[in-house]
Amino acid sequence: MSQKKKWSALVVALVLAALLVTSCSSPQKTETKVLAPERKIKTIEIWTMTPEYSQDRYEAALMIASWWKQLGLDVQAKPMDGTVISSKTRTPPWDFDTYMLQWFGTPERIDPQLFIYQVFHSSQDVEGGANRSGYRNPEYDQLAEAQMRETNPEKRQEYVLKAQELLAEDVPVITLYFKNLRQVYNHDRFSGIVEMPGVGINNIWTFLRAEPKTTDRVLRVASPDDCDNLNPMIAWINADWDILYLIYDTLVRLGPDGQPTPSAASSWEFKSPTVLQVKLKEGLKFHDGKPLTAEDVKFTFEYALKWGMPKVAGFVKPVKAVRVLDQHTLEFETAQPVGSLVSGTLAAVPILPKHIWEGLLEREKIAKPADWANPHPIGSGPLKFRYWRRGEEIRLDTFKEYHTPAKIDGVLQIIYPSPDALLGAMELGKADLTMQDLA
């Protein structure tokens, strides 16, 4: 739960309310005063998920509202769609009081860079940024930057632990509880499902290694969330990136053991503490048949640095320059050593086709790349886009020319609006795998 730039005012209100309760319980005679309407604290809204989507978060908001009312505050739990909450808490005017969201595990979050830097560093307190709480602490910023520069894992861990201690003292967000991740799949129809720490079975390796046991080779995935946006330059929520990371390849993927493994890159080597040389696999192609070269990678990073790619901003920022050495070789230069350059940056940034995104503003007559709907995403990942029926389903087909093609024919992601509906789909054999938590 978080409060954008209103935390101090809310704390004062809670303290005053607590003092009022204490005063009223005193045996001394007190005088009741009626405040003028303009002096009364406004109703505080707690934005939370709808009970159909997340019963536990909805009930948690009701409990918090009840406790705050005992302090004399007028509080209302307001259920809303999760994508609406996510959008309204990342963009001006930040006109909320407090809200509840859930962080799911994803492969790039195994590295501490996202939570330590991107979620709490003051530079990310901007429109579209991940610092939704508006947290600003110069001492914390120094620790977040130090862990990003440190390449020694043990020393980096020391910075991370110190940063966590500051967060525990300042409490920019309140962690209410942790949930066990429950996912299921139909083992009668598919084998080869892969588990990954912190992510479960919803990972790239499941889609690459799943083997059909019947003549129906399309993996049907049940998801409680529909996508909000398939433009990598603005997409933020997990539902977006669950699909985008299948459509767009990255230089590196984190393996089932959490360690970096080659994807579009064949190898990488540090030439110095601040220069990383990367070699691409040969014969890489985008879904439209155009070749993927080092120029596309260079373009992607320069484009993201210029226009911003909020989801991976903390991973892109350390890159100072990208140089093409030949068609399959390039160098990344950073101003200082970066501990997460391979496991974070190379694994998080989706490779964009230069021939589509270059000149986009003039062609589409838009002010910035984030304004584009990207109606038919073209990437170089293991699955290619076929269609998206908003609120219903998304269909992806296997890209046979991918460097390690999937064994399935495609993925059909079906949206089920409630946990009960999702569970029913699995029981009736209408779905083969759950995308997120089955609860």
Side-chain angles (χ1 to χ4, degrees), residues 61-74:
L62 293 179
M63 293 172 66
I64 294 168
S66 175
W67 294 332
W68 285 5
K69 286 179 181 178
Q70 294 179 37
L71 295 175
L73 298 174
D74 186 9

Side-chain angles (χ1 to χ4, degrees), residues 29-33:
K29 184 177 180 180
T30 58
E31 181 180 354
T32 302
K33 293 184 178 181

Side-chain angles (χ1 to χ4, degrees), residues 271-326:
K271 295 298 183 180
S272 77
T274 59
V275 176
L276 175 67
Q277 187 175 107
V278 176
K279 287 190 174 293
L280 299 179
K281 292 175 178 174
E282 296 189 9
L284 297 176
K285 291 183 179 181
F286 289 104
H287 298 157
D288 59 1
K290 299 292 179 61
L292 188 162
T293 70
E295 289 291 346
D296 294 288
V297 179
K298 172 182 169 67
F299 170 82
T300 296
F301 279 84
E302 291 179 345
Y303 205 65
L305 284 167
K306 177 180 179 179
W307 293 103
M309 190 181 284
K311 178 70 172 182
V312 297
F315 293 114
V316 175
K317 185 177 180 180
V319 177
K320 178 182 176 182
V322 182
R323 292 184 289 273
V324 172
L325 303 185
D326 60 46

